[in-house]
Amino acid sequence: MEEIHQSQQITDYLKQYQLEAVFHEHLRPHMSLCQFDKCELICREGEASEYLYVLVEGKIKIFTTSPQDKTLVLCFKTPLEVVGDIEYVRESNIVNTVQAVSPVVMLRIHYRWLTELASDYAPLLQFLLKIISHKFYIDSNFSNFNLMYPVDVRLASYLLSISTDEDGTVMHEELDAFNLTDIANLIGTSYRHLNRVIQKLCADGYIQRDQGLIRIKNRAGLRHIAGHNIYE
């Protein structure tokens, strides 16, 4: 992670995402830009939470790890997204692990300054309320999505979420060893049925599977199958 203190660049991002009123001028000297490389961890589940992050460039992956060290990917996020908001409000440790799927740029500010300078600042509180409410809404939709839609729709949505290259390539590294069992658990199906759906999507020309790599051959077709992408 590289931390950059460039006030003009911070101001430009705030203006780009209409956050100038959220982070007032007294907060901005305490804000920094953080650049993360692909696959770099941004925060780890269970560790103390100290910062509020605002994703302004790139894609992140949010996942949890079971006591048996099994990884379950929860979702993928692109700008504008906030990390550390729930932990700030609840004064808790980090809930889930967050990792950069592509090169990522985030605005960062320590909780200390939010508490000292904006604990009763209405625009910031309204912003956090909106972000957190949206996360609960997405969580609710996620459960309904896994119950109501067929596996091919869920898989198409998932593959579109994890493909970071323009040609639609999904690599081992982006899936933490591309474990079909983990994917099956995430989208709510069995390993065998998932494998059958992958084979059908390959046969229909939507994707190509070769030596641990999946390439999206027909992105428009896959988006048509996926419809509303709940995993992003």
Side-chain angles (χ1 to χ4, degrees), residues 182-200:
D182 289 343
I183 300 174
N185 290 336
L186 171 68
I187 68 175
T189 189
S190 68
Y191 172 88
R192 289 185 177 180
H193 188 44
L194 175 64
N195 210 28
R196 288 194 293 268
V197 172
I198 289 177
Q199 291 174 358
K200 185 177 187 305

Side-chain angles (χ1 to χ4, degrees), residues 148-217:
M148 297 173 60
Y149 289 89
V151 174
D152 60 338
V153 174
R154 288 177 257 163
L155 179 60
S157 180
Y158 183 82
L159 292 176
L160 288 168
S161 293
I162 62 176
S163 62
T164 57
D165 298 340
E166 290 185 0
D167 62 357
T169 299
V170 179
M171 297 290 195
H172 274 300
E173 294 81 4
E174 291 163 0
L175 279 173
D176 289 335
F178 189 56
N179 191 321
L180 287 185
T181 301
D182 289 343
I183 300 174
N185 290 336
L186 171 68
I187 68 175
T189 189
S190 68
Y191 172 88
R192 289 185 177 180
H193 188 44
L194 175 64
N195 210 28
R196 288 194 293 268
V197 172
I198 289 177
Q199 291 174 358
K200 185 177 187 305
L201 290 178
C202 288
D204 291 343
Y206 292 107
I207 62 176
Q208 179 181 343
R209 184 179 179 186
D210 181 31
Q211 297 181 352
L213 177 149
I214 287 182
R215 186 183 304 278
I216 297 174
K217 296 177 65 179

